[in-house]
Amino acid sequence: MERWLQVTCTRIHENGHCAFYEDCGKNPEVISSLLPARVPCLYNGPAYKLSGQHLSMLKSVCPMLYTGDQNTHACCSFKQLDMLEKSLLFSKPVLSRCPSCLQNFINLYCQNTCSPNQSLHINVTRTFNANVSGTILEAVLEYQCYYTRLFADGAFNSCKNVRLPATGGFAISAMCGKYGATLCNTERWLGFQGDSSNGLAPLDIDFILVGNRTSTGSGIVPYNGTFWKCNQSPVSNGQACSCLDCAESCPKIPAPNPPPGPWKIDQMDGILVICIIAFCSMVALVVIFLIYRYCSSRRNQQGDNKLKAPQLRKEDIRWSHKVSQATQHFLGQIFRRWGTMVARYPITVIFISFVVVIVLSAGLALITLTTDPVELWSAPDSRARKEKEFHDANFGPFFRTNQIIITVQNRSSYTYDSVVFGQNKFNGIFSKDIILELLDFQTRLQNIQVWSETAQRNISIKDICYAPLNPENPRSTDCAVNSLLQYFQNNSTRINATAKQTMAGETGTVDWRDHFLYCINSPLSFKDITELGMSCMADYGAPVFPFLAIGGYEGEDFTGAEALIMTFSLNNYPSNNPKYEYVLLWEQEYLKILQEYKQNKSINFNFVYMSERSLEDEINRTTKEDIPIFAISYLVIFVYIAFALGEYTSWKTIMIDSKVTLGLGGILVVLSAVLSSMGFYAYIGVPSSLIILEVVPFLVLAVGADNIFILVLQYQRDTRKAGERREEQIGRVLGDVAPSMLLCSSSETICFFLGALTKMPAVRTFALYAALAVFFDFLLQMSVFVALMSLDARREESAKYDICCCIRSKSTKIKKKREGILLPFMREYYAPFLLHSVTRIIVIILFLFMLCSGIFLMLHVRVGLDQELALPTDSYMLDYFAALNKYFEVGVPVYFVTTAGYNFTTVDGMDGVCSSVGCDNNSMTQKIQYATDFPQVSYMAIPASSWVDDFIDWLNPISLCCRLDTNDGEFCPATSNEPNCSMKCIPPNPSGIIRPTTEQFNQYLTNFLNDTPTLKCSKGGLGAYGNAVRRGTEGEIMASRFMAYHTPLKNSLQYTAALKVARELAANITESMRKIPGTDPSFEVFPYSITYVFYEQYLTVVNEGIFNIGLCLIPTFVVCCVLLGMDIQSGFLNLITIIMIIVDTLGVMTLWSIDFNAVSLINLVTAVGMSVEFVSHLTRSFAISIKATKVERAKEATADMGSAVFAGVAMTNLPGIIVLYFAKAQLIQIFFFRLNLVITLLGLVHGLVFLPVLLSYLGPNVNTAVLLQLQQEEKEQLPEDIYSNCFFINSGYNGLTGDEKVQSHAQYNGVPKEAGKSIEGVVLGDDEASFEKEFTSSETQPNSTGCTVTSF
């Protein structure tokens, strides 16, 4: 009651009486104001009857007070009505979107100023003597205004949700002063309206809200007039406020379903349960299989121990064995002849190959490197790429961002007791010395000038900046530089300004903190409510919203912010525009200055920073810095190959035994293949990339080294036959191993060529380069390397030194074959242990467990690539990204872009887009608003700005925006104050719904888009929508865009999810807008953000990965089958092992935090190629072996070929991979070191552990066609009355002498045969138990060959 007992100057509170009337001049207490602060004269008499112009004016300004031409009374003069109209013009354009809000707002002011019963709810409490034309009159300085709580709350609630389409914020934020939209309520809203310091109120009004049953006494009757809820129309046949501005008008929107959780089976992960069941089932099958084999073995042991050995006949041979034998024989003969010819003419072959390589490599002069991430990772025909091109073609590229995030240390928080805002706790960063220091910091950056050789002048920020309100000829103050300093227009005088202010009888000093508190809550204000009276708008004319200036705060606790944000927005030019060079130069100087500041220990703040060019600069920097790492990696591999190829016998002959020159030749062969591949594609215009330069040589070296080792080791282990020349021996050795090399190389080549069918540019070009490089590598190995091997063999036989091949050793080297260490170890220890009956069972179960675990983990691999991983570990950008994720309160902007084919000029067309009164509740902008109600699912934070809504508001005749000159009908811009600019563009509509005709739409749209927003007309479209609409030659709208904001997105998963949801939302909008009459069926709405083009790949990368890896697996099966003579069984086992390697690799990726993305996909495609090397050589060696049992054949393949694979692939890759650990680039460490290490190790254990065991169980039988041929040849060598009946002696390797062990690798038409000996045994069945029997007749005798023969 204390507020009601103040001194009153209004003694009469009766119907029909006024509390004040007429204009009494300016308020002496208001120093500065946006409008003249004119106050009324005290008058406690009857209301005046209105007529003539006075009455017309009242009908126009306050139509709710009109009661007829003869019976309308009011307490305001014509002059007061004129001032009231001018005051309302500031709010009408903003509130006109919601007719009930606008009507309630106007009613408040009209009841206070003009009501004929004014004295009932108005009580003047303070006056002063005013001199009016020489007469001293009592003028009003302050009054009390009594409202019922019901009326006041109703008026406030109708306005609290009205939006500002240009910003997506609430209009109430600019009408509630220091409290902003979030903390605003009825009392605070009315309190701001009655605060003379707000720049609009001419005097102070103390609004008193009274409960409906509360008595005030003294004759005062709180006003309890009619109000309209926001979902009610204030006029008949009108419409209520739209859903965007009125929650009560919204249809009930069901909450979206939460994303599905993991599949569960009785509280357990469903996939895990399935994998456990699968593992148990497979183990059970293995047990059943082993039991069956055991029972079969027992039955066979109970049968006859002596069975007649069947003679093989041609008609008994299966066609597949015939084809296989013929294929191996054909390939062996081809390569034997080729090898002999190359070895005979090595110099000629090397010269011809050198010429071909030089010609192909010359294409490198034409090579182009793709460094643009968009070109690398986004396919030209991808949706995101097309949408980006459409957006940039119509609206220009998204502006370039240069940003700084500032923090402080060792600055404690403090409490500021403001006379205006009360106590507020400020973070230590809000210190005046910090603010002033930041102003100097920002000023230096704004004043950057850098010399351009092209322009022959200095380039400054105004040449390249984004200037939304003056894009054609900007000044430096027109540039969009957003920071907290813009609340003071970057002016130190304003920061240092102070003023005395009295609030509620308490006098205190207001300073920069009071202005900040006001602006951070009301960024659209042109004048704060303090005695400072400063604007909150930036110097370039736009508001600075809190999320653009500060960060690291909770909710609306702006003063608790931990960081300040400074952003320089520059225009983004095409690379062929001269200004593109200017902007790069400016950014380079900007980064240089920031780096200097970083070294300055005297500054009182910390900061992290970035430039638009930073990401590409840092990636290029780390690429250059990591080149030595790759060089060392290749050097390590070279050193290993050079020394491992040697066959050392003693220290005396070490220079003869060395193969350094041959190893170097092998490396040069690989490099020649890579250079030839790159040159070839450069000729035909296929661009390369840094990833190709780094990965392809590594891949080809890994693949090529294997072939080198196999060829050299086979030659070293071979013994030259009597009468055989060196060239013939090399040809024979090549005929033995080249089919295996062809099998692997052709599989890999076809694999990579098929991988080029992908749509990802980086993966596609990598696959193309890798395929041709592998192909060229095989050709050069078959030619140049064989020639080099021939020359090296000639050198060695001549006892000449390696490297210094002109020097001959004084001591003649005795040629003595040695097996080295690895082959005997694998033959004597490893293979018998691995293929022991118990070990085999353990291996099968272990690898089945690995497979099931790999499947489970593979399905949980994380998809994406966080941009931080593209940077080196010492990059300043990592600190920036960390701060970005920690402090930013809003995410990247997203545009909803419309294509041609939609008619915006019709009423239906406008209603289908807008969100103000009369608009469709399912319009485009309304649907985006619905999405922001569920930010956790939609990733949408701020609804879309709408040029259609603001255009309609701009046209509304109640505002001063769209005006015409009364003399010539020409349009008057908002900046014009000409008195003739009084004609409205379109007439008013009693329903409150404003829609221009098609002609008016086309006529005024351009004016709207070029109209500068002002205090009187804030709806001008130049700043917010200057380039948001693209029109055709006939005025039709070809494209337009509507900007919203995502929530803060912190990793690639969220970026990808946001893209997916935005596309779903746009598709829904497109579907509904196509239903509007006149819409082209091809019309489309799509979302566009600068990040989409990078993250779109993760929507499809899994499918792309399955497609690419699946395609790569096809040739590994097909080629294996074909080159082994339609051996489907071998091809199938080969395929299974490679699939297991890939699955297990994906599983380890989950365990080792390696994301699945395009980079890892490249490595997985590479993994298929490397797996072929680990698997196919050994598979072929097993398939062509003629050992008696599968176990013995597996032992032979493991020892002979496994040792070469281990030395050639694993030991070549591992040292080089380990060196990559020391690379600075995280991308190299993760996707090249980690992933390649995993691929190599898994390929090794699958190829040398699992595959031999698998072949010992399920491998193909011995090729009977080969056995028949050998049987016939041995028969021809025996007396006519004796035929050979070779039987299996199951002694394995232990039954061989040392010399026989050396010879066990020799080939017979591509099939292993011990030189000078007959075949050991015949394998005709699948059961190993039957293999252990001797097939003899009753009379047997051994012949000299070691075979048991039978006499007729």
Side-chain angles (χ1 to χ4, degrees), residues 91-155:
S91 303
K92 279 183 175 182
V94 176
L95 302 178
S96 62
R97 295 171 45 81
C98 182
S100 55
C101 165
L102 179 62
Q103 193 66 20
N104 290 332
F105 188 78
I106 292 174
N107 188 42
L108 288 177
Y109 280 89
C110 286
Q111 295 296 337
N112 289 359
T113 307
C114 295
S115 171
N117 303 313
Q118 187 186 63
S119 64
L120 287 178
H121 69 283
I122 298 294
N123 182 44
V124 177
T125 56
R126 199 157 60 92
T127 61
F128 75 100
N129 292 325
N131 188 332
V132 182
S133 300
T135 303
I136 303 300
L137 298 176
E138 195 172 3
V140 179
L141 279 177
E142 184 177 354
Y143 66 82
Q144 295 173 325
C145 178
Y146 292 81
Y147 289 155
T148 65
R149 168 68 67 176
L150 179 66
F151 171 78
D153 286 345

Side-chain angles (χ1 to χ4, degrees), residues 243 272 534 536 637 687 721 727 802 840 856 901 958 999 1067 1070 1088 1111 1187 1198 1220 1263 1279 1343:
C243 172
L272 178 60
M534 296 188 298
C536 296
I637 294 172
K721 296 180 179 180
E727 293 82 2
D802 188 26
R840 288 193 292 160
F856 171 74
I958 68 171
E999 292 74 16
T1070 299
Y1088 169 75
L1111 279 180
K1187 289 289 185 181
T1198 302
L1220 296 181
N1263 191 312
N1343 72 346

Side-chain angles (χ1 to χ4, degrees), residues 53 450 661 818 846 850 929 943 973 997 1048-1049 1078 1088 1222 1244 1343:
Q53 276 190 324
V450 57
T661 305
R818 291 181 178 270
L846 176 62
M850 288 175 59
Q929 161 63 24
T997 64
L1049 306 174
Y1088 169 75
F1222 301 98
L1244 181 65
N1343 72 346

Side-chain angles (χ1 to χ4, degrees), residues 1320-1334:
E1320 285 188 54
V1322 180
V1323 181
L1324 298 176
D1326 289 332
D1327 293 327
E1328 290 186 22
S1330 64
F1331 301 161
E1332 297 174 1
K1333 296 183 179 181
E1334 298 179 1

Side-chain angles (χ1 to χ4, degrees), residues 151-258:
F151 171 78
D153 286 345
F156 171 74
N157 289 334
S158 70
C159 292
K160 67 180 181 180
N161 289 321
V162 177
R163 292 273 186 176
L164 295 173
T167 66
F170 294 96
I172 203 76
S173 64
M175 304 174 70
C176 210
K178 63 183 181 181
Y179 299 104
T182 304
L183 301 178
C184 194
N185 57 29
T186 304
E187 286 87 348
R188 292 169 176 174
W189 179 57
L190 292 173
F192 179 78
Q193 309 306 312
D195 189 344
S196 60
S197 62
N198 67 12
L200 292 174
L203 46 72
D204 290 321
I205 306 172
D206 182 14
F207 287 92
I208 300 174
L209 308 185
V210 181
N212 296 336
R213 297 183 180 179
T214 303
S215 173
T216 58
S218 303
I220 295 177
V221 179
Y223 181 74
N224 191 28
T226 302
F227 66 89
W228 293 269
K229 296 181 180 179
C230 63
N231 61 346
Q232 296 175 335
S233 173
V235 297
S236 59
N237 300 324
Q239 290 195 25
C241 305
S242 70
C243 172
L244 186 67
D245 302 313
C246 174
E248 291 83 352
S249 295
C250 294
K252 188 174 182 180
I253 304 296
N257 296 325

Side-chain angles (χ1 to χ4, degrees), residues 797-811:
E797 292 176 8
S798 301
K800 292 183 177 180
Y801 287 166
D802 188 26
I803 304 176
C804 305
C805 56
C806 297
I807 303 175
R808 185 186 301 271
S809 174
K810 296 180 181 179
S811 59

Side-chain angles (χ1 to χ4, degrees), residues 864-1106:
L865 175 64
D866 294 335
Q867 53 189 342
E868 293 91 331
L869 296 181
L871 298 166
T873 52
D874 62 348
S875 173
Y876 64 87
M877 287 288 288
L878 291 177
D879 295 330
Y880 169 78
F881 284 129
L884 181 72
N885 292 333
K886 181 178 181 180
Y887 297 122
F888 264 57
E889 303 298 325
V890 72
V892 293
V894 52
Y895 295 98
F896 287 85
V897 181
T898 66
T899 61
Y902 186 80
N903 191 351
F904 287 88
T905 65
T906 65
V907 174
D908 288 338
M910 286 180 273
D911 290 346
V913 175
C914 66
S915 55
S916 58
V917 59
C919 299
D920 188 345
N921 271 347
N922 283 312
S923 69
M924 178 176 74
T925 51
Q926 189 58 64
K927 286 187 175 182
I928 299 172
Q929 161 63 24
Y930 294 151
T932 61
D933 293 337
F934 308 98
Q936 299 303 319
V937 178
S938 69
Y939 298 95
M940 300 294 296
I942 299 177
S945 59
S946 170
W947 63 267
V948 175
D949 284 271
D950 276 337
F951 179 44
I952 292 172
D953 295 342
W954 182 82
L955 286 170
N956 198 320
I958 68 171
S959 72
L960 287 179
C961 292
C962 190
R963 303 169 299 156
L964 303 176
D965 193 301
T966 55
N967 294 329
D968 54 17
E970 291 295 320
F971 171 76
C972 296
T975 53
S976 174
N977 293 317
E978 293 295 326
N980 293 333
C981 294
S982 58
M983 184 188 302
K984 304 294 183 177
C985 293
I986 61 175
N989 187 340
S991 69
I993 301 174
I994 303 299
R995 297 291 184 271
T997 64
T998 298
E999 292 74 16
Q1000 290 169 336
F1001 188 102
N1002 290 325
Q1003 178 182 356
Y1004 297 122
L1005 178 60
T1006 302
N1007 299 130
F1008 162 71
L1009 296 175
N1010 293 317
D1011 201 20
T1012 303
T1014 63
L1015 181 61
K1016 293 182 179 179
C1017 176
S1018 60
K1019 294 290 183 175
L1022 178 61
Y1025 310 115
N1027 62 344
V1029 181
R1030 175 72 180 274
R1031 305 182 76 182
T1033 54
E1034 298 180 2
E1036 73 279 15
I1037 295 178
M1038 304 301 296
S1040 69
R1041 65 179 185 180
F1042 302 79
M1043 186 177 74
Y1045 280 91
H1046 278 303
T1047 55
L1049 306 174
K1050 300 184 184 299
N1051 55 55
S1052 59
L1053 291 178
Q1054 293 182 355
Y1055 277 104
T1056 306
L1059 166 60
K1060 184 178 180 181
V1061 173
R1063 284 186 171 176
E1064 291 172 354
L1065 176 59
N1068 183 275
I1069 294 171
T1070 299
E1071 182 181 358
S1072 57
M1073 292 181 72
R1074 284 178 178 174
K1075 297 176 181 178
I1076 295 174
T1079 303
D1080 192 292
S1082 63
F1083 167 77
E1084 183 183 7
V1085 176
F1086 65 84
Y1088 169 75
S1089 179
I1090 191 171
T1091 62
Y1092 286 175
V1093 73
F1094 303 109
Y1095 291 100
E1096 183 195 40
Q1097 59 180 301
Y1098 305 125
L1099 296 175
T1100 59
V1101 71
V1102 173
N1103 293 334
E1104 286 280 341
I1106 295 172

